[in-house]
């Protein structure tokens, strides 16, 4: 079940990231044409492009993590699972990932002294993007979303029992 959830989240994240890249490209092109052809760029295009870049970057991070194309510590030093050192290296990697994403998820919802009203998302809900007039929470919500997706991908990697990099030699050999 966790593997299916991970695969589904991966498909959705990829689709949203592709839409964000397209949106970023379109708004930048509108800004370039409006600036250099009409000498009057809309004020909102820069902010929309920036927010789309944030969404693209964070969702792209989840895609890299799922595809094991992220920076992997100790990848070439230890053998892959199920060897003991492979398990140890993957446990260290998982601990490093968890030590980063769990506090991010926690403080997205909870404040330093507890309480939902002081969490990152609650603070962002009280702010408004000046040029767009929308609550900043709609831009900031991607932070905990990305971290939760990575957490699901990590659980799926352990559930698969195959944490090493996928073997693509057969696929590449078939192209010859």
């Amino acid at each position: 079940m966790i593997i299916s959830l991970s695969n589904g989240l991966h498909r959705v994240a990829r689709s949203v990231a592709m839409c964000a890249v397209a949106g970023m490209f379109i708004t930048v092109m509108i800004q370039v044409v409006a600036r250099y052809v009409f000498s009057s760029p809309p004020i909102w295009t820069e902010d929309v492009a920036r927010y789309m870049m944030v969404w693209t970057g964070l969702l792209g991070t989840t895609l890299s993590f799922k595809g094991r194309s992220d920076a992997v510590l100790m990848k070439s030093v230890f053998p892959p699972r199920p060897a003991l050192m492979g398990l140890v290296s993957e446990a260290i990697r998982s601990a490093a990932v968890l030590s980063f994403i769990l506090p991010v998820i926690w403080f997205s919802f909870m404040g330093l002294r507890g309480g939902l009203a002081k969490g990152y998302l609650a603070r962002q809900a009280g702010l408004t993007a000046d040029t767009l007039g929308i609550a900043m929470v709609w831009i900031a919500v991607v932070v905990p979303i990305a971290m939760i997706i990575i957490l699901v991908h990590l659980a799926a990697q352990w559930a698969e029992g195959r944490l090493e990099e996928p073997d693509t030699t057969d696929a590449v050999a078939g192209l010859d």
Side-chain angles (χ1 to χ4, degrees), residues 28-122:
V28 167
M29 292 311 299
I30 289 170
Q31 184 177 27
V32 167
V33 170
R35 177 170 303 208
Y36 295 110
V37 175
F38 302 113
S39 298
S40 179
I43 59 172
W44 56 268
T45 54
E46 187 175 332
D47 284 345
V48 169
R50 182 182 312 122
Y51 300 145
M52 292 290 170
M53 184 175 64
V54 169
W55 273 75
T56 300
L58 286 168
L59 292 176
T61 301
T62 69
L63 302 178
S64 294
F65 189 84
K66 170 80 172 170
R68 304 280 301 176
S69 58
D70 56 332
V72 178
L73 185 67
M74 299 180 280
K75 177 177 164 182
S76 62
V77 177
F78 297 116
R81 276 178 49 182
L84 177 62
M85 290 311 292
L87 284 169
V88 169
S89 68
E90 289 300 330
I92 292 169
R93 174 184 175 265
S94 297
V97 169
L98 290 172
S99 69
F100 177 75
I101 64 171
L102 291 178
V104 171
I105 293 170
W106 176 262
F107 289 113
S108 290
F109 301 102
M110 302 298 288
L112 290 174
R113 296 188 181 124
L116 294 171
K118 298 292 184 183
Y120 173 69
L121 292 178

